[in-house]
């Protein structure tokens, strides 16, 4: 269920409270929730994931992303969350796509090359094409 983008970054579709323990056993130290609350009736509320994460000794942060796209505050918040720990990080949303796209934008904002990010995402089954122009812009700012 968890897909690996890098040695320390994992992404996943919607997780459950039970998946939190699996994440902890996989070495995850931070869970990032990129899903807005009440997006669908069947999703586990972020508050329940946060309680389970904290009970398992994991940090938790919510950076919700709607289908409307990405804002600069979300990219900044993701970059800060990724820099917050040296441990493994699990980011999730409905399918893992928004988490992957936001990860790529955050990394591009720190100067990582979009082609390298695209290769890592593709290896995990995700396509960064929708944010290519934004990655280029963010990387240009980082230079």
């Amino acid at each position: 269920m968890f897909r690996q983008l890098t040695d320390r970054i994992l992404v996943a579709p919607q997780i459950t409270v039970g998946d939190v323990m699996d994440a902890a056993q996989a070495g995850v130290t931070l869970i990032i929730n990129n899903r807005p609350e009440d997006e669908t009736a069947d999703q586990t509320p972020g508050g329940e994931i946060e309680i389970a994460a904290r009970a398992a000794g994991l940090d938790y942060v919510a950076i919700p992303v709607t289908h409307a796209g990405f804002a600069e505050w979300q990219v900044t918040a993701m970059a800060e969350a990724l820099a917050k720990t040296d441990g493994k990080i699990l980011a999730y949303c409905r399918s893992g796509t928004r988490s992957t796209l936001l990860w790529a934008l955050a990394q591009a904002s720190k100067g990582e090359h979009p082609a390298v990010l695209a290769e890592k995402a593709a290896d995990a089954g995700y396509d960064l094409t929708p944010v290519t122009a934004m990655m280029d812009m963010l990387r240009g700012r980082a230079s």
Side-chain angles (χ1 to χ4, degrees):
M1 163 173 194
F2 304 148
R3 295 185 188 184
Q4 191 165 336
L5 295 174
T6 71
D7 289 344
R8 58 182 283 271
I9 308 296
L10 307 169
V11 293
Q14 176 67 54
I15 63 172
T16 65
V17 169
D19 295 324
V20 171
M21 192 52 68
D22 292 340
Q25 290 172 348
V28 168
T29 60
L30 169 64
I31 293 177
I32 301 173
N33 176 359
N34 295 130
R35 193 155 190 206
E37 290 300 318
D38 301 319
E39 186 175 44
T40 61
D42 64 341
Q43 78 186 68
T44 304
E48 290 180 23
I49 300 294
E50 180 177 11
I51 290 168
R54 301 220 185 268
L58 308 180
D59 287 328
Y60 172 93
V61 64
I63 308 168
V65 177
T66 68
H67 291 288
F70 300 94
E72 190 167 346
W73 74 265
Q74 292 162 318
V75 174
T76 300
M78 186 68 156
E80 289 171 356
L82 295 173
K84 177 177 166 173
T85 180
D86 290 329
K88 282 189 178 179
I89 298 169
L90 171 64
Y92 76 92
C93 59
R94 187 184 63 76
S95 68
T97 299
R98 283 175 279 175
S99 292
T100 301
L101 297 176
L102 187 56
W103 161 81
L105 293 171
Q107 295 304 102
S109 76
K110 299 298 180 192
E112 281 204 42
H113 197 283
V116 173
L117 296 168
E119 184 177 325
K120 290 176 183 178
D123 287 347
Y126 295 101
D127 178 12
L128 299 185
T129 303
V131 295
T132 299
M134 196 170 178
M135 283 190 302
D136 288 337
M137 179 200 65
L138 289 167
R139 184 169 184 254
R141 282 191 200 166
S143 301

